Amino acid sequence: MKRIRVKQIRSKIRRPKNQKLTLEALGLKKMNQTVEHDATPTILGMVKTVNHLVSVEEIK
């Protein structure tokens, strides 16, 4: 299974509650924090919800 690395690059201040909760569910609590996840449809959907706040790269 593919893995992705997700890094929060923008602040969650003044964002809708669903976006804040999505970042927390991904494990992102601070700016510039990086987490790794399997590229499941659930995780990819969460990343799509907050794609303007995070950067995503595929891990080989």
Side-chain angles (χ1 to χ4, degrees):
M1 177 167 288
K2 293 193 314 184
R3 301 218 10 115
I4 57 172
R5 182 175 292 133
V6 183
K7 180 177 181 180
Q8 183 177 349
I9 57 171
R10 298 196 65 201
S11 176
K12 63 182 176 180
I13 296 173
R14 298 187 62 180
R15 301 293 173 187
K17 187 169 184 167
N18 68 325
Q19 292 177 10
K20 291 179 183 181
L21 293 175
T22 302
L23 286 172
E24 291 250 345
L26 284 170
L28 298 168
K29 298 177 182 166
K30 297 180 180 178
M31 287 286 298
N32 297 314
Q33 184 178 4
T34 304
V35 293
E36 294 181 5
H37 290 286
D38 290 328
T40 62
T42 304
I43 295 296
L44 294 176
M46 292 167 73
V47 168
K48 186 176 179 181
T49 301
V50 293
N51 66 348
H52 56 289
L53 303 176
V54 298
S55 68
V56 181
E57 66 181 59
E58 185 177 335
I59 301 172
K60 299 283 178 175

